[in-house]
Amino acid sequence: MRQILKMKWVGSAVVLLIALGAAGAVVGLHDRSTASDDAELGPRPALVRVVAVQPESQYATTRAYTGRIEARRSSALGFERSAELVEVLVEEGGAVEAGQTLARLDTRQLEAQKQSLVAERDAAQALLDELVAGPRQEDIDTAQAEVERQAALLERLKIQADRIEKLHRRSVANDDERDEILFELQANKAALAGAKAELRELTNGTRPEQLASQRARVAQLDASSVSVEVDLEDSVLVAPFAGRVQRRAVDEGAVVSPGQTVLTLVQGGPREATVGLPWEIAESLEAGQTATLEVGPRQIDARVRAVLPTVDEATRTVEVVLDLPESSATKQPGSVVRWALPETINEAGFWLPTAALARGSRGLWSAFGVNAQNTIERID
C-alpha cells in the first residue's frame, strides 16, 4: 500500500529509509557518529532499505458516494370528494394489482340524486319530443272548429245588436238592453281573435325558441347526471399500478376530506437508486452508462437513467438516477447504496510505501530520508 505525502526534497528525488526485517539490504542508521561510538552505544542498528521517490503532480483515488434505493413509483392515494369511508379492502404490506378496488365511500346520497336527475331528464326529453313533433291534427281541427263557432256567434250577435238598436231608437228597448248586447258583441270579437291566434299557432308548429330552450334544459340535466356519475366513480379508490400497500392511514367510519391520504402504494418490480454526486463528476456521466453499486455486502449492476439538471441547495450535489436489475425487486425502498468512483486529485506530493511513515507530532505523519550529505533526516 502506498500513500501520498507532501514533503521537502533535495534535488530531483528524495531517498527514504524503510525498516526491514532480518532480510534486505543493510544500511547502518547513524547520524554523524563513528562506528566505534556505535559499538560503545550497544545494540546494532536496524536494517533498512533505501528507496528513491519522485515528485507527483496528481494522484488517483476511489471515493464512495451514498444514495438510497427507491420504488420507481410511489403514490399517496385519496378521494376527490368528502364522505364517510365505509370500506377498506386491503391491509398494510398487501400486494395489489393495477385497477384493483382498494376502498369505498358512502354513496347513498349520490344514488338518490342520480335517480332524481334521471326522472327529471326523462320528463324534459318527453316534452322536447312533443315540441319537435308539433301539434296533433286533432288539436288543429278542434281549434278550427272553435274559430267557426265564435264566428257564427258573432254573426248572431250582430243581428241582435241591429235589432236592439232599432228598438232603442223607437224607445221600445231601453239603454241597459242596448249596452248588454253591445258588450256581448265586443266579448265575442275578442274570443274569435283568440281562437284564430291559437289556430295560427297550431298551424305554424312549435317556435324555434321553445325548441332551443327545451333542448338546453335536457343538456343541463345530462351534464348534472355526468357530474354525479363522476362523483360515484371517485367514491371508489382503485390502484393506479401494481405494488404493495406501504401505509393505511384511515379506517372505516372516518369522514375523509378531498385529497386526504387514505393509502400509500409503492410500485413493485425493479427498483431505482438515486445517488448525489459533485456536479463536476455528474456532468461527465451519460444515460445508459453502467455502474456497480454496493448494497450491504453485495454488489449489483445498475445503469444510469438520468442526471437531474439542478444542484441540491442543501448538499450541493446533483442527483443521478440509476435503474436497478430485476433482482432488485426484493430490495426495500430506503435501503442505502454506495457507489465507488475513481477520482484524480490534482495535488503535488510523493508516492511512498506506508512502511516508510512514522508518527509525527500533533497526529501528523513523517518519514526518514537520506539528504545530500548522506545523513538521515526526518521529513515532515
Side-chain angles (χ1 to χ4, degrees):
M1 179 179 180
R2 300 187 299 171
Q3 294 189 1
I4 193 164
L5 179 69
K6 290 184 178 180
M7 58 184 70
K8 300 177 183 178
W9 64 82
V10 178
S12 61
V14 173
V15 179
L16 297 179
L17 302 181
I18 303 174
L20 299 175
V26 177
V27 176
L29 280 174
H30 57 86
D31 187 3
R32 299 184 179 90
S33 59
T34 64
S36 62
D37 294 335
D38 292 340
E40 293 177 359
L41 292 176
R44 297 182 62 184
L47 300 180
V48 297
R49 179 162 54 94
V50 179
V51 178
V53 295
Q54 299 293 333
E56 301 285 348
S57 61
Q58 62 184 18
Y59 67 96
T61 186
T62 300
R63 184 171 296 179
Y65 299 92
T66 302
R68 62 189 180 279
I69 292 179
E70 296 178 347
R72 294 191 177 180
R73 285 192 289 179
S74 177
S75 296
L77 305 179
F79 296 95
E80 295 185 13
R81 56 181 293 265
S82 177
E84 180 185 352
L85 183 64
V86 296
E87 192 174 18
V88 180
L89 302 173
V90 292
E91 297 294 338
E92 292 181 347
V96 300
E97 298 295 332
Q100 179 178 336
T101 300
L102 306 179
R104 289 190 178 91
L105 295 178
D106 182 13
T107 59
R108 290 174 297 176
Q109 184 175 359
L110 289 176
E111 293 289 350
Q113 185 178 353
K114 177 183 177 181
Q115 293 177 4
S116 175
L117 286 172
V118 168
E120 192 173 354
R121 198 267 183 196
D122 290 344
Q125 183 63 48
L127 179 57
L128 176 60
D129 294 341
E130 182 179 348
L131 293 176
V132 171
R136 297 179 302 172
Q137 186 59 43
E138 293 85 349
D139 295 335
I140 296 176
D141 294 343
T142 300
Q144 180 64 44
E146 179 64 16
V147 169
E148 294 173 356
R149 187 181 73 81
Q150 293 293 340
L153 180 59
L154 178 61
E155 292 300 324
R156 183 170 66 83
L157 290 174
K158 285 181 178 179
I159 294 173
Q160 291 179 353
D162 289 341
R163 184 182 304 117
I164 293 296
E165 183 62 29
K166 291 178 181 179
L167 293 175
H168 182 267
R169 286 198 295 267
R170 291 185 298 177
S171 300
V172 176
N174 56 32
D175 294 340
D176 292 338
E177 290 175 332
R178 187 185 68 171
D179 293 342
E180 182 179 356
I181 194 61
L182 291 177
F183 175 78
E184 290 182 7
L185 183 61
Q186 293 299 324
N188 179 258
K189 288 181 179 180
L192 178 59
K196 289 181 178 180
E198 183 176 356
L199 177 61
R200 284 196 302 271
E201 182 176 353
L202 292 174
T203 304
N204 294 334
T206 306
R207 297 197 310 272
E209 305 87 63
Q210 287 180 293
L211 290 173
S213 176
Q214 193 60 29
R215 287 194 178 102
R217 177 58 179 164
V218 172
Q220 181 184 18
L221 292 171
D222 285 339
S224 297
S225 297
V226 170
S227 178
V228 172
E229 288 292 344
V230 171
D231 286 341
L232 285 171
E233 292 178 2
D234 290 341
S235 299
V236 179
L237 191 62
V238 298
F241 49 80
R244 287 187 176 275
V245 178
Q246 179 177 337
R247 181 170 175 263
R248 171 175 170 170
V250 184
D251 293 325
E252 294 87 347
V255 177
V256 298
S257 303
Q260 179 181 348
T261 299
V262 176
L263 298 167
T264 301
L265 183 64
V266 176
Q267 186 183 31
R271 307 296 191 193
E272 66 181 21
T274 56
V275 181
L277 300 179
W279 68 268
E280 59 271 14
I281 297 179
E283 67 177 359
S284 66
L285 301 177
E286 296 181 356
Q289 181 175 337
T290 58
T292 301
L293 304 181
E294 296 178 2
V295 183
R298 297 186 178 181
Q299 292 185 338
I300 58 175
D301 294 328
R303 191 175 298 275
V304 176
R305 186 205 308 165
V307 178
L308 301 189
T310 57
V311 177
D312 187 280
E313 294 183 358
T315 62
R316 308 307 301 169
T317 59
V318 175
E319 282 200 344
V320 179
V321 183
L322 303 102
D323 288 327
L324 303 183
E326 292 288 341
S327 59
S328 67
T330 59
K331 305 298 182 183
Q332 294 300 323
S335 300
V336 176
V337 299
R338 290 168 56 86
W339 188 5
L341 292 172
E343 186 174 352
T344 299
I345 307 299
N346 295 316
E347 187 172 354
F350 294 86
W351 279 109
L352 65 152
T354 55
L357 298 178
R359 291 189 180 276
S361 60
R362 298 187 298 275
L364 301 178
W365 292 91
S366 299
F368 288 98
V370 178
N371 59 23
Q373 290 74 34
N374 201 29
T375 59
I376 300 171
E377 180 180 329
R378 180 185 286 270
I379 305 173
D380 294 324

